């Protein structure tokens, strides 16, 4: 399944609600500069952390796009921290150095942050909902949660990481 909103500059936000990633492949969403992707009540379709591009949400963008904004609300399994219960966010833009991630909603959000475009260096977290990042991929060197008021649990890849917490 592919959704491409990048050429519609009048569209600033895409909301995907009450859905899941594909069980047998990737759900690809292409965004442009200044566009936001919001996920609400969204789950991992294959419920497995299998590394075979199944059940992933791939966020694609042109090389000129330097940041991507994603909002999550009740994303992943509501009561489980199992690796397969997260929604894998594959940031696949060769220019995307920053991910702005807003964690909202009544339940904890479960995501894995993957650096498919190999350019992602900074994750900025906002919002009041708790977030469990089962994976924060290699290459990410700064994780700033100073504006977030929810709890953060994260598993970082190898390398030197600067983590800034909130209140």
């Amino acid at each position: 399944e592919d959704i491409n909103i990048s050429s519609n500059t009048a569209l600033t936000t895409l909301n995907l609600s009450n859905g899941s990633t594909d069980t047998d492949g990737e759900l690809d969403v292409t965004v442009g500069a200044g566009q936001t992707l919001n996920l609400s009540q969204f789950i991992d379709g294959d419920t497995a952390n299998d590394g075979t591009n199944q059940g992933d949400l791939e966020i694609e963008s042109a090389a000129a796009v330097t940041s991507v904004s994603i909002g999550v609300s009740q994303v992943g399994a509501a009561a489980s921290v199992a690796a397969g219960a997260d929604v894998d966010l594959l940031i696949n833009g060769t220019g995307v150095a920053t991910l702005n991630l807003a964690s909202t909603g009544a339940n904890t959000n479960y995501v894995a942050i993957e650096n498919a475009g190999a350019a992602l260096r900074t994750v900025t977290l906002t919002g009041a909902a708790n977030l469990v990042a089962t994976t924060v991929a290699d290459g990410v060197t700064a994780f700033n949660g100073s504006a977030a008021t929810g709890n953060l649990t994260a598993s970082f890849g190898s390398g030197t990481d600067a983590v800034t917490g909130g209140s």
Side-chain angles (χ1 to χ4, degrees):
E1 189 93 26
D2 294 328
I3 301 169
N4 186 342
I5 64 168
S6 64
S7 62
N8 186 345
T9 57
L11 183 62
T12 58
T13 304
L14 174 64
N15 295 312
L16 299 179
S17 300
N18 300 309
S20 71
T21 59
D22 292 340
T23 58
D24 59 353
E26 294 177 339
L27 172 60
D28 295 335
V29 178
T30 304
V31 296
Q35 293 177 322
T36 298
L37 172 63
N38 287 326
L39 306 172
S40 176
Q41 297 179 346
F42 209 83
I43 62 171
D44 180 6
D46 74 350
T47 66
N49 189 7
D50 51 22
T52 59
N53 293 332
Q54 295 179 343
D56 298 334
L57 177 60
E58 186 166 344
I59 297 93
E60 300 178 351
S61 58
V65 177
T66 59
S67 67
V68 170
S69 296
I70 301 173
V72 292
S73 176
Q74 300 180 21
V75 169
S80 172
V81 294
D86 60 20
V87 170
D88 298 340
L89 303 174
L90 280 71
I91 308 303
N92 192 11
T94 58
V96 177
T98 302
L99 168 62
N100 298 304
L101 185 62
S103 182
T104 63
N107 297 332
T108 298
N109 293 296
Y110 296 90
V111 299
I113 300 169
E114 300 294 339
N115 194 1
L120 185 63
R121 299 291 177 261
T122 302
V123 175
T124 302
L125 178 65
T126 60
N130 297 342
L131 180 82
V132 174
T134 58
T135 301
V136 178
D138 291 345
V140 173
T141 56
F143 196 104
N144 184 347
S146 63
T149 56
N151 294 328
L152 168 66
T153 304
S155 177
F156 294 91
S158 62
T160 303
D161 301 310
V163 178
T164 305
S167 57

